[in-house]
Amino acid sequence: MPPPADIVKVAIEWPGAFPKLMEIDQKKPLSSIIKEVCDGWSLANHDQFALQYADSSNCYITEKAQNAQQLHERIQSSSMDAKLEALKDLANYSRDVTFAQEFINLDGISLLTQMVESGTERYQKLQKIMKPCFGDMLSFTLTAFVELMDHGIVSWDTFSVAFIKKIASYVNKFASDVSILQRSLAILESMVLNSHDLYQKVAQEITIGQLIPHLQGTDQEIQTYTIAVINALFLKAPDDKRQEMANILAQKQLRSIILTHVIRAQRAINNEMAHQLYVLQVLTFNLLEDRMMTKMDPQDQAQRDIIFELRRIAFDAESEPNNSSGSMEKRKSMYTRDYKKLGFINHVNPAMDFTQTPPGMLALDNMLYFAKHHQDAYIRIVLENSSREDKHECPFGRSSIELTKMLCEILKVGELPSETCNDFHPMFFTHDRSFEEFFCICIQLLNKTWKEMRATSEDFNKVMQVVKEQIMRALTTKPSSLDQFKSKLQNLSYTEILKIRQSERMNQEDFQSRPILELKEKIQPEILELIKQQRLNRLVEGTCFRKLNSRRRQDKFWYCRLSPNHKVLHYGDLEESPQGEVPHDSLQDKLPVADIKAVVTGKDCPHMKEKGALKQNKEVLELAFSILYDSSGQLNFIAPDKHEYCVWTDGLNALLGKDMLSDLTRNDLDTLLSMEIKLRLLDLENIQIPDAPPPIPKEPSNYDFVYDCN
């Protein structure tokens, strides 16, 4: 009778001993098989041994190698059910790098690509009668492929055009199947980013028009992957093709679609989506780099005509002098005077002002845009300054050039996007010419700040520093529109900036010097111990908490307090909210502090994980915390306010010997440290500081001096 299929005979050798022919049950765990082999040679510590192939590969045999071999065979099964189950397992195992290496060594990537290229068509005849099975099978195949390729073991340059075409076709064919669409987009993105040759092939197979509809759906993951593919195509496009691609994106109204369906959708933007929006923002602004690094050619008449246009819009001369030799001198004199009023450094030949890069011709582009699209504001600024004394005028030309350079630095124009940053600004997605509009708002701010500072030409750099601070502070608030950004700047006047600086200076003063930092480090443990004692004292006093009943109505109360020796929590239900402290003996339940295993907060609280609990308003979620004890015991709290929440979570963590991490502790620590350091730095020679606070004065005999405003 033949042996069972799972039993195989294998020759195993050990140095210095005769080889053995052993029967191995493949159903047993590898560790059990190794133990049996070690026992046969009386080798101790079997967990320190492994089986190794005796062929030229010298590879070690692992559980994952066995799994790889078995799955490699199973995914080629003729049974649809067996194949589906194998592909599902493969999608899970492929996340492990050791398994991935073994499976790839078996030429597994080639097998999967063949299945995608030709195998799927074999099953498409079955698609109508077993569509869910077909969709799942393709989804698991693509998932396994993505996971295996993410390990970076195989080069992306090895894939055929047929495979690329097939993946690109899935972007349209399986728009309703989220899993397949997501994997297909992820594969396309990786192809573009990791291979120049594949970029060209993908760019031929997929169009922006095919990607746009996926942004108009409601699935944020699909939207994220779609923008990621667009970013990848944008990033890898040759320099001469990027502007062409930007024009296509503008024609397809990509910005408007992203604003409507992503940024202003009724849901939070996750970190990955924020990163992709940031990348798109950077790549869009990088299109300005060419103009930013282009010097003006003083001999180029077309470029000189832009300067003439700036002058014409500002001063709008009704009559031009005749082309006589006498009038030519007048013309030059008039132009020189007007260019001076326009604030150019070189009054005779303003073209020379634009020969510095950056900002190059980009500054002139911005000035012309401002003059044409915000003509009233442009004329007002020019005429206002031309009517001031020379030393008090804000030079529009010089200001525009320096401001453009500053804005390019703030937005990092010309730099590649960071792989970790997600700092996108929604307002830049609200206008097709967002950089130019950004400039128009900021040049008006600069003129306003100049007047508020009563600046002269010697103060130019100081004004630019203040303007940069105003812009940076407004940007940190992430305004949702350019109008909101403008409103934020209105509130950041020069006076307000001075107040902010003064406040920050008072808080920091010399606190960053090395001796002060060392003093801080020395006294911080004392302050933390003081805060800890205050928290524990508050727990001893106790707090009345709200109670959530099964109908989620907060209409019951219970009280909890710590014993004076800090060893027991006393708690119990109350009929109504108490007016003062509740005695220990009236609280019927006790919980020894030694039995507490952990303190959890927010969504991690057991009572917040119950069905429907997360639908509670945000306030309840932020005030929830739980004490976990024994194997399944829990004491659930809803704090009356944020301050009490911080006091209790800090106090409980202190009881468990853990750090107090609440915002309240950070604020208390900063305040007490600052006060203590200031006291220690005071010159207190011959000044006696009392140990006790001064007595409270007696109440006055009457309150006739009190004025009631009502």
Side-chain angles (χ1 to χ4, degrees):
M1 182 176 176
D6 293 316
I7 303 296
V8 294
K9 290 187 177 183
V10 179
I12 303 176
E13 58 183 7
W14 174 253
F18 287 107
K20 290 184 178 182
L21 187 64
M22 300 185 66
E23 288 189 348
I24 290 179
D25 185 351
Q26 295 182 84
K27 286 185 177 179
K28 286 186 177 181
L30 185 59
S31 57
S32 299
I33 296 171
I34 292 174
K35 186 177 185 302
E36 289 178 11
V37 173
C38 289
D39 290 345
W41 274 301
S42 301
L43 299 172
N45 301 323
H46 70 276
D47 56 336
Q48 297 181 12
F49 290 86
L51 296 176
Q52 184 182 32
Y53 287 108
D55 59 14
S56 58
S57 70
N58 290 324
C59 291
Y60 287 96
I61 300 172
T62 64
E63 294 278 9
K64 285 163 183 169
Q66 285 185 318
N67 285 339
Q69 180 65 52
Q70 291 169 2
L71 279 172
H72 191 271
E73 295 169 0
R74 287 171 55 202
I75 62 175
Q76 300 179 72
S77 170
S78 57
S79 165
M80 289 295 105
D81 291 338
K83 182 188 283 284
L84 178 62
E85 195 63 30
L87 287 168
K88 183 178 179 181
D89 291 342
L90 179 62
N92 289 327
Y93 287 132
S94 295
R95 296 187 182 96
D96 182 271
V97 66
T98 307
F99 171 87
Q101 183 70 68
E102 297 292 346
F103 187 79
I104 290 169
N105 288 343
L106 296 170
D107 212 15
I109 291 288
S110 295
L111 179 59
L112 291 178
T113 54
Q114 288 169 17
M115 290 172 65
V116 170
E117 288 176 21
S118 58
T120 51
E121 276 156 23
R122 202 185 315 151
Y123 305 122
Q124 279 186 332
K125 294 178 182 178
L126 303 173
Q127 187 177 356
K128 291 182 181 178
I129 58 174
M130 51 185 302
K131 188 172 182 178
C133 178
F134 170 78
D136 290 344
M137 191 179 298
L138 181 56
S139 173
F140 291 137
T141 302
L142 295 177
T143 301
F145 177 84
V146 169
E147 296 292 349
L148 291 168
M149 291 302 297
D150 277 350
H151 295 297
I153 299 169
V154 179
S155 169
W156 283 91
D157 286 311
T158 58
F159 299 107
S160 66
V161 174
F163 180 72
I164 298 168
K165 286 179 178 288
K166 186 64 67 175
I167 296 297
S169 71
Y170 294 158
V171 172
N172 295 323
K173 194 178 296 181
F174 293 97
S176 60
D177 192 316
V178 172
S179 180
I180 294 174
L181 177 57
Q182 188 183 96
R183 276 33 166 213
S184 299
L185 289 168
I187 292 170
L188 290 175
E189 180 199 8
S190 295
M191 284 179 172
V192 172
L193 291 177
N194 290 287
S195 169
H196 178 69
D197 289 341
L198 289 186
Y199 154 74
Q200 294 178 319
K201 293 171 184 174
V202 171
Q204 291 171 358
E205 295 298 326
I206 201 82
T207 65
I208 300 300
Q210 291 171 311
L211 294 172
I212 290 292
H214 300 310
L215 291 173
Q216 296 171 311
T218 57
D219 190 299
Q220 189 170 117
E221 275 202 76
I222 295 298
Q223 292 174 324
T224 303
Y225 279 104
T226 302
I227 296 176
V229 173
I230 292 172
N231 285 339
L233 290 168
F234 212 152
L235 186 63
K236 293 298 179 179
D239 292 342
D240 58 332
K241 293 286 186 182
R242 282 186 190 166
Q243 188 59 57
E244 181 182 327
M245 185 176 174
N247 294 337
I248 294 172
L249 295 178
Q251 290 170 8
K252 299 294 182 181
Q253 297 185 319
L254 176 70
R255 178 199 59 76
S256 177
I257 290 169
I258 288 176
L259 181 66
T260 303
H261 296 279
V262 178
I263 296 174
R264 291 182 177 170
Q266 298 300 311
R267 61 174 180 270
I269 292 177
N270 61 37
N271 287 338
E272 183 56 31
M273 172 60 86
H275 172 68
Q276 294 301 337
L277 291 173
Y278 152 78
V279 172
L280 182 58
Q281 173 185 293
V282 171
L283 294 177
T284 302
F285 284 142
N286 280 357
L287 293 170
L288 303 169
E289 184 182 12
D290 182 55
R291 294 294 282 174
M292 181 181 78
M293 300 308 294
T294 299
K295 294 181 180 182
M296 185 172 186
D297 181 0
Q299 306 306 317
D300 189 318
Q301 188 58 43
Q303 294 180 3
R304 292 171 62 86
D305 285 345
I306 298 176
I307 297 176
F308 293 150
E309 182 67 4
L310 289 173
R311 180 199 160 277
R312 185 195 66 76
I313 294 173
F315 303 110
D316 194 24
E318 293 183 2
S319 60
E320 293 292 338
N322 296 323
N323 291 328
S324 62
S325 59
S327 63
M328 185 61 70
E329 291 301 321
K330 289 183 180 180
R331 183 195 296 267
K332 286 182 179 180
S333 174
M334 181 177 63
Y335 279 11
T336 299
R337 183 194 66 214
D338 289 348
Y339 291 148
K340 183 177 183 297
K341 290 179 180 179
L342 281 170
F344 290 113
I345 296 173
N346 191 320
H347 307 152
V348 178
N349 186 6
M352 299 303 296
D353 287 14
F354 300 96
T355 55
Q356 179 189 355
T357 59
M361 287 295 292
L362 184 60
L364 188 58
D365 294 343
N366 283 339
M367 293 168 70
L368 183 63
Y369 181 91
F370 181 50
K372 285 190 170 183
H373 293 84
H374 299 270
Q375 195 171 111
D376 290 345
Y378 167 70
I379 293 172
R380 184 180 67 252
I381 287 175
V382 173
L383 295 184
E384 267 184 13
N385 286 292
S386 63
S387 62
R388 292 179 189 156
E389 293 179 45
D390 285 353
K391 67 175 185 176
H392 283 290
E393 69 176 13
C394 177
F396 174 73
R398 182 185 176 192
S399 298
S400 297
I401 292 168
E402 290 301 318
L403 179 64
T404 300
K405 183 179 179 181
M406 179 201 294
L407 298 183
C408 289
E409 290 172 356
I410 290 173
L411 298 177
K412 297 180 170 59
V413 174
E415 295 184 21
L416 287 175
S418 163
E419 293 183 4
T420 56
C421 184
N422 55 10
D423 186 26
F424 84 98
H425 293 278
M427 72 178 193
F428 291 131
F429 290 85
T430 63
H431 201 284
D432 289 329
R433 303 287 294 275
S434 59
F435 184 81
E436 289 87 344
E437 289 292 325
F438 186 41
F439 168 84
C440 293
I441 293 171
C442 293
I443 191 64
Q444 294 177 75
L445 167 73
L446 194 156
N447 189 64
K448 172 175 171 283
T449 302
W450 184 283
K451 289 189 289 185
E452 290 173 347
M453 292 178 67
R454 300 178 185 274
T456 63
S457 54
E458 289 80 11
D459 300 319
F460 186 86
N461 291 334
K462 290 181 182 178
V463 175
M464 295 305 295
Q465 289 172 7
V466 173
V467 169
K468 184 173 184 178
E469 185 174 347
Q470 291 170 313
I471 294 169
M472 294 299 291
R473 288 185 183 277
L475 285 177
T476 55
T477 65
K478 294 293 180 71
S480 59
S481 66
L482 289 163
D483 285 340
Q484 196 177 90
F485 173 68
K486 191 173 183 178
S487 177
K488 297 283 184 185
L489 290 175
Q490 290 293 330
N491 296 327
L492 284 169
S493 63
Y494 175 58
T495 304
E496 186 63 26
I497 291 294
L498 288 179
K499 288 179 182 177
I500 293 171
R501 286 179 174 179
Q502 178 67 15
S503 174
E504 291 176 349
R505 194 157 43 241
M506 288 179 65
N507 289 334
Q508 294 177 359
E509 286 183 338
D510 296 323
F511 285 4
Q512 299 306 314
S513 64
R514 185 174 176 182
I516 299 299
L517 292 175
E518 289 177 357
L519 180 58
K520 266 187 176 182
E521 190 176 340
K522 181 180 178 181
I523 65 178
Q524 183 166 314
E526 301 173 24
I527 303 296
L528 283 172
E529 183 61 28
L530 183 66
I531 295 171
K532 175 183 173 182
Q533 290 305 317
Q534 188 274 338
R535 300 292 192 263
L536 294 177
N537 289 341
R538 282 289 294 107
L539 266 60
V540 170
E541 292 176 12
T543 302
C544 177
F545 294 95
R546 297 177 292 178
K547 198 170 188 178
L548 289 175
N549 62 21
S550 58
R551 302 176 75 178
R552 303 292 172 197
R553 292 178 59 194
Q554 300 164 6
D555 53 4
K556 292 188 178 181
F557 302 94
W558 65 289
Y559 200 87
C560 185
R561 63 183 300 180
L562 181 65
S563 63
N565 62 4
H566 300 172
K567 291 186 177 181
V568 179
L569 282 172
H570 299 264
Y571 61 97
D573 292 340
L574 300 174
E575 291 297 326
E576 58 184 3
S577 180
Q579 297 303 311
E581 289 185 19
V582 177
H584 290 95
D585 52 12
S586 65
L587 300 173
Q588 61 274 28
D589 297 310
K590 298 179 181 179
L591 173 61
V593 172
D595 291 348
I596 298 176
K597 304 297 182 187
V599 176
V600 294
T601 61
K603 291 189 287 186
D604 294 327
C605 295
H607 58 314
M608 290 292 106
K609 290 183 177 179
E610 296 170 9
K611 186 177 180 181
L614 289 179
K615 293 182 180 178
Q616 292 286 331
N617 61 45
K618 186 179 178 183
E619 178 192 359
V620 173
L621 202 60
E622 289 179 347
L623 299 177
F625 62 98
S626 297
I627 293 175
L628 307 182
Y629 59 93
D630 295 339
S631 57
S632 58
Q634 61 193 50
L635 197 58
N636 300 318
F637 297 75
I638 300 291
D641 52 49
K642 190 66 176 178
H643 181 274
E644 210 67 24
Y645 168 86
C646 293
V647 166
W648 272 84
T649 52
D650 282 343
L652 291 171
N653 280 324
L655 285 173
L656 298 178
K658 296 181 178 179
D659 292 336
M660 299 179 291
L661 302 174
S662 74
D663 293 339
L664 182 62
T665 291
R666 284 196 293 272
N667 292 337
D668 287 351
L669 180 61
D670 290 343
T671 301
L672 293 172
L673 266 177
S674 176
M675 290 173 61
E676 183 67 19
I677 288 174
K678 286 177 180 178
L679 280 172
R680 294 196 182 196
L681 294 177
L682 283 175
D683 183 5
L684 298 178
E685 189 176 355
N686 299 323
I687 298 176
Q688 185 67 34
I689 298 178
D691 294 329
I696 299 174
K698 292 181 180 180
E699 290 191 22
S701 58
N702 62 67
Y703 289 89
D704 294 344
F705 57 86
V706 175
Y707 178 73
D708 187 354
C709 296
N710 297 320

